[in-house]
């Protein structure tokens, strides 16, 4: 069965510092991979996605993520965090060719940004 | 593009009443829509998957008679919480499948339901 693990429940970084949010998945093959961001009381916004090809994918708001097959990971990075990046971040996986196009979400990482 | 509108954003109702939440894809056709429930500080729990013109598929443990889902058109799905009780209070989020078979989902802004 597919599963997604986000080991860090809560991360605090200083504004301007770099950021890496971890995501590990369990799936028999290479899944589709996503990162979403949720601001308080809001829905989810798609940051970036990986389907195939180049393992380093660029997203919106200066985020990028790298797919590492050997580590079953899809970590999200940003070189310099802004105060507006404070939010909850969810990693998700989908099964290629699946009939339902479901996503399995991780438990989320809450990012706090210190001035 | 890929905008999903969810309405209302916040609803307060009395115990025993029913509440309807609408989810619309504004600029694309969504064959599949999804309904999630999110408890405070927790991840999204998929409640059901709805396909246009057919019955929704509910996840295990979700009462289909309590949470009625209708997907009458390619741009509209509704979730009705019937005979709501305080334990149904939660944040409900819909998403619409972007098509192309690649699991991309576009999310509405969510509905906060408070049952008194």
């Amino acid at each position: 069965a597919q599963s997604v693990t986000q080991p860090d429940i809560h991360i605090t970084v200083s504004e301007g510092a770099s950021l890496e949010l971890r995501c590990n998945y369990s799936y028999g093959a290479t899944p589709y991979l996503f990162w979403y961001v949720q601001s308080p009381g809001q829905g989810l916004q798609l940051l970036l996605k990986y389907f195939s090809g180049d393992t380093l994918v660029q997203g919106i708001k200066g985020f990028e993520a790298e797919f590492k097959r050997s580590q079953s990971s899809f970590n999200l990075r940003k070189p310099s965090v802004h105060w507006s990046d404070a939010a909850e971040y969810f990693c998700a996986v989908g099964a290629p060719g699946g009939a339902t196009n479901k996503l399995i979400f991780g438990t989320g990482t809450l990012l706090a940004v210190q001035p | 593009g890929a905008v999903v509108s969810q309405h209302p954003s916040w609803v307060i109702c009395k115990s025993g009443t029913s509440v309807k939440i609408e989810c619309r894809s504004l600029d694309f056709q969504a064959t599949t829509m999804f309904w999630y429930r999110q408890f405070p500080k927790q991840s999204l729990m998929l409640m059901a998957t709805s396909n246009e013109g057919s019955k929704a598929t509910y996840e295990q443990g979700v009462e289909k008679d309590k949470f009625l889902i209708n997907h009458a058109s390619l741009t509209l799905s509704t979730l009705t919480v019937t005979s709501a009780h305080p334990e149904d209070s939660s944040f409900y989020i819909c998403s619409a499948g972007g098509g192309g078979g690649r699991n991309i989902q576009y999310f509405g802004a969510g509905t906060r339901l408070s049952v008194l």
Side-chain angles (χ1 to χ4, degrees):
Chain A
Q2 301 170 57
S3 66
V4 181
T5 302
Q6 292 180 248
D8 304 305
I9 297 173
H10 191 186
I11 284 183
T12 300
V13 299
S14 298
E15 191 168 15
S18 63
L19 170 71
E20 183 168 28
L21 302 182
R22 296 182 290 165
C23 173
N24 293 94
Y25 67 89
S26 174
Y27 185 65
T30 300
Y32 295 145
L33 295 159
F34 306 84
W35 274 100
Y36 285 87
V37 61
Q38 184 181 32
S39 297
Q42 297 294 315
L44 277 69
Q45 181 182 23
L46 179 65
L47 281 177
L48 47 76
K49 57 195 179 290
Y50 173 80
F51 298 136
S52 65
D54 193 345
T55 56
L56 184 63
V57 294
Q58 302 298 320
I60 61 171
K61 304 185 179 186
F63 286 93
E64 66 177 27
E66 186 171 12
F67 168 58
K68 292 186 177 180
R69 185 191 309 273
S70 60
Q71 298 176 19
S72 297
S73 69
F74 188 56
N75 294 349
L76 182 71
R77 301 194 294 248
K78 186 169 184 178
S80 177
V81 170
H82 188 263
W83 63 267
S84 60
D85 293 325
E88 182 121 33
Y89 291 80
F90 292 96
C91 180
V93 300
T100 63
N101 293 333
K102 280 189 204 180
L103 291 178
I104 305 298
F105 285 87
T107 50
T109 297
L110 183 61
L111 173 66
V113 180
Q114 286 181 336
Chain B
V3 177
V4 176
S5 172
Q6 188 172 342
H7 178 79
S9 57
W10 198 348
V11 57
I12 302 172
C13 69
K14 292 183 179 179
S15 186
T17 61
S18 295
V19 173
K20 180 183 282 188
I21 303 169
E22 289 190 350
C23 181
R24 293 180 184 271
S25 56
L26 297 186
D27 50 3
F28 67 103
Q29 293 186 329
T31 308
T32 306
M33 288 187 171
F34 303 85
W35 288 95
Y36 296 86
R37 185 172 180 176
Q38 187 178 31
F39 292 100
K41 301 187 188 302
Q42 294 189 26
S43 189
L44 284 74
M45 181 192 78
L46 180 64
M47 299 174 65
T49 303
S50 80
N51 292 291
E52 184 265 339
S54 62
K55 289 184 178 179
T57 301
Y58 291 82
E59 296 298 303
Q60 192 171 8
V62 177
E63 300 175 62
K64 59 183 178 183
D65 295 330
K66 156 73 78 175
F67 300 101
L68 299 179
I69 291 171
N70 183 279
H71 193 159
S73 76
L74 286 172
T75 60
L76 174 65
S77 176
T78 61
L79 167 68
T80 301
V81 184
T82 62
S83 186
H85 290 284
E87 58 266 28
D88 298 323
S89 298
S90 192
F91 193 58
Y92 294 88
I93 308 177
C94 74
S95 71
R102 288 188 158 184
N103 303 70
I104 298 176
Q105 293 182 24
Y106 298 99
F107 285 80
T111 297
R112 182 157 305 284
L113 171 62
S114 298
V115 185
L116 305 178

